[in-house]
Amino acid sequence: MSTPTGPASGLPVRMPRPRQSGRHRRPEPVVAPEGAAALVLAVPGTPSSATRSLAEEVISIARSELPGLNARIGYLDGDDAEYPTLSTVLAHNAAERVARFEQAVAAGREVAEPTGPSAVVVPLLAGPDSALIRRIRQALMDSGTQAELTDVLGPHPLLAEALHVRLSEAGLARADRARLFTVATAADGIVLATVGGEEAVQAAGITGMLLAARLAVPVMAAALSIAEQLQGSGSAQLALAPYLVGPEVDPGLLDAAAKEAGCATAEPLGAYPAIGKLVLSLYATTLGITPATPQGTQGAQAH
């Protein structure tokens, strides 16, 4: 029974929870700044519904990390209709940015005139590929817009984690359920297969060292087209791990390389959560809006 001054004697009194402060205070959620440059994902390879689905999932992961993110997809080999080309996406984005500013001025709102890049272009590439990067740079020039181009996604520890998960999904490496740390492996040697020439192989080798530490087996990087390196690795039971997101290579090339080398293969990295986080990290670092480094996704389900 209550009294005019509060609950009756003996009843618990609900007190407001004190506001956290200092290092234990929950950080305020970060959202994309209004008017920030768009994130444009540059997708290589032949466009398809599968490629678009993968790119959209990567964008969805990035948006979940930074609500309000203006993100778009541009294809290097697009057709400007179903799959818009990168240069077309950049041009449309820049025009829309100017139109939004003019509409705000016409409505009497006090807004600052847009400055800085209209877009930050992130290549959907795990490692360097000079031929594809040249094409992306050319698309930026063709668009006639002010856009910034970031580095590729790797090398990075999160890519080693993603490779580990893809190998475990294929039954080529077993992982601890809690920490994704290998307790046994079905393969006694891993080949990181990549495209993009010697520079790409060297970059894959850096991630390969991180993967070797997780698996406790030898890991080597090689060009996808060189089956002799795969056969001459010295391992009795070899596994091929594509150091590729997916769209940048014909799926048939992976199958052919594995068959010629006589080894099993894991799936490409695809839309593993780390890919979306690395895409966002490159974008945010370029604009200086989210300095935090992306954390591991251990324990998350692979996509």
Side-chain angles (χ1 to χ4, degrees):
M1 180 175 179
S2 298
T3 69
T5 58
S9 176
L11 295 179
V13 178
R14 185 170 184 174
M15 301 296 290
R17 181 175 297 176
R19 186 178 180 86
Q20 291 181 321
S21 60
R23 66 188 182 92
H24 296 294
R25 184 176 178 179
R26 181 177 298 176
E28 295 294 329
V30 178
V31 297
E34 184 178 0
L39 188 163
V40 178
L41 192 64
V43 181
T46 303
S48 66
S49 58
T51 297
R52 178 166 53 199
S53 178
L54 187 156
E56 288 175 347
E57 190 166 357
V58 170
I59 290 296
S60 178
I61 294 167
R63 283 189 176 131
S64 71
E65 297 287 323
L66 186 66
L69 174 66
N70 176 14
R72 305 171 183 224
I73 300 169
Y75 301 87
L76 287 187
D77 294 303
D79 55 17
D80 282 345
E82 188 175 9
Y83 301 102
T85 63
L86 178 58
S87 58
T88 298
V89 169
L90 289 171
H92 285 176
N93 172 72
E96 289 176 4
R97 191 188 198 196
V98 171
R100 285 194 298 269
F101 170 72
E102 293 176 344
Q103 289 171 1
V105 172
R109 293 174 51 197
E110 292 187 9
V111 292
E113 187 171 355
T115 59
S118 59
V120 174
V121 178
V122 182
L124 190 60
L125 295 169
D129 187 319
S130 57
L132 289 176
I133 294 299
R134 279 197 300 270
R135 293 186 59 199
I136 293 174
R137 291 189 183 280
Q138 186 62 52
L140 265 66
M141 294 177 60
D142 293 344
S143 72
T145 65
Q146 186 178 359
E148 295 282 345
L149 177 63
T150 73
D151 291 332
V152 295
L153 305 182
H156 196 280
L158 287 182
L159 294 183
E161 175 191 306
L163 288 162
H164 185 174
V165 171
R166 291 298 183 236
L167 285 164
S168 67
E169 289 173 342
L172 302 174
R174 202 170 67 192
D176 178 89
R177 291 183 180 179
R179 299 179 56 239
L180 293 178
F181 192 84
T182 295
V183 294
T185 179
D188 61 3
I190 306 293
V191 174
L192 292 191
T194 187
V195 294
E198 184 60 30
E199 183 184 7
V201 172
Q202 291 178 1
I206 298 173
T207 300
M209 289 189 291
L210 300 172
L211 181 62
R214 298 175 66 96
L215 300 177
V217 300
V219 176
M220 65 173 288
L224 188 57
S225 58
I226 305 178
E228 292 81 3
Q229 288 191 24
L230 311 186
Q231 295 168 327
S233 69
S235 296
Q237 191 166 349
L238 201 62
L240 188 147
Y243 189 63
L244 305 161
V245 178
E248 66 271 46
V249 66
D250 185 335
L253 187 57
L254 281 174
D255 295 336
K259 183 176 180 180
E260 189 172 353
C263 66
T265 180
E267 291 293 321
L269 298 171
Y272 184 74
I275 300 298
K277 291 186 176 185
L278 288 173
V279 165
L280 178 63
S281 178
L282 289 167
Y283 164 83
T285 299
T286 300
L287 297 181
I289 60 175
T290 317
T293 301
Q295 300 299 310
T297 54
Q298 293 187 357
Q301 292 294 323
H303 283 63

